[in-house]
Amino acid sequence: MPHKNTYHFEFEVYDGIENLTEEDAWLLQEAREVTEHAYAPYSNFQVGAAARLMNGEIVAGTNQENASFPVGLCAERVLLATAASVFPKVPIHTMAISYHNNNGESNHPISPCGVCRQSLLEYEQRVKLPIRLILGGLEGKVYVIPQASMLLPLSFTSEDLV
Ligand code: THU
């Protein structure tokens, strides 16, 4: 019989932004507002991310699409690239992610896509500290995930390359 491994992780579920700490609510509100800077004329799905760095600075990112669709970038990776360029080596304490579409529907949390999970994982490894995630729409429940890499079990990492 094979040995069975299990993977499980826990995250917090809040009924709404009003149940978060003041700091977390502020960051999620930033993510909500920065969706206005998204460039998403093709999907009409505007994503905003805002992060508090360990040095207290705030960095934002939004999705940036392109007529050549695969060229488009997600908000999370725009944020990571910005943080690494403006504040190199400073760990990210918490990243909040929000969104809305043209139908005004934004009532549940969205999670980072698979590609962004891979990028978030490597950022954590680079700076040796976990990235806490706050996921929420313009309204509705909010998820708080203690560590981005929890979203990517059995991941491929730089250690596999050696
Ligand atoms: N998108 C993000 O920016 N972040 C996510 O977590 C999910 C998807 C973007 C990519 C594309 O511009 C649009 O949302 C629709 O997929």
Side-chain angles (χ1 to χ4, degrees):
M1 286 294 278
H3 173 77
K4 286 193 180 165
N5 280 345
T6 56
Y7 171 80
H8 95 280
F9 77 100
E10 289 180 359
F11 62 101
E12 296 163 0
V13 181
Y14 294 87
D15 280 340
I17 193 172
E18 64 280 2
N19 302 111
L20 299 179
T21 63
E22 205 177 311
E23 247 190 354
D24 284 352
W26 185 88
L27 199 63
L28 179 55
Q29 190 54 35
E30 280 291 301
R32 286 174 170 179
E33 287 172 20
V34 83
T35 56
E36 296 310 322
H37 299 166
Y39 176 64
Y42 306 106
S43 71
N44 290 317
F45 190 79
Q46 301 178 286
V47 185
R52 179 178 287 106
L53 309 189
M54 288 303 273
N55 64 0
E57 297 283 352
I58 304 295
V59 174
T62 55
N63 55 331
Q64 300 293 320
E65 297 185 349
N66 192 282
S68 174
F69 294 174
V71 176
L73 291 167
C74 293
E76 295 89 330
R77 275 175 297 135
V78 170
L79 189 154
L80 292 178
T82 303
S85 306
V86 182
F87 300 107
K89 301 195 174 89
V90 180
I92 294 173
H93 183 276
T94 301
M95 183 190 299
I97 302 162
S98 193
Y99 71 98
H100 67 84
N101 59 26
N102 278 0
N103 305 327
E105 281 166 20
S106 177
N107 57 8
H108 65 276
I110 60 160
S111 275
C113 79
V115 172
C116 289
R117 291 176 194 208
Q118 185 75 26
S119 291
L120 286 158
L121 167 84
E122 185 134 344
Y123 206 95
E124 287 184 347
Q125 293 186 337
R126 256 172 97 175
V127 300
K128 299 184 176 57
L129 268 187
I131 300 173
R132 188 168 162 266
L133 298 178
I134 303 174
L135 311 177
L138 297 183
E139 53 185 29
K141 289 198 190 316
V142 178
Y143 296 166
V144 176
I145 296 172
Q147 186 167 344
S149 50
M150 288 176 169
L151 295 177
L152 199 62
L154 291 180
S155 50
F156 177 76
T157 73
S158 57
E159 283 160 29
D160 296 313
L161 289 175
V162 294

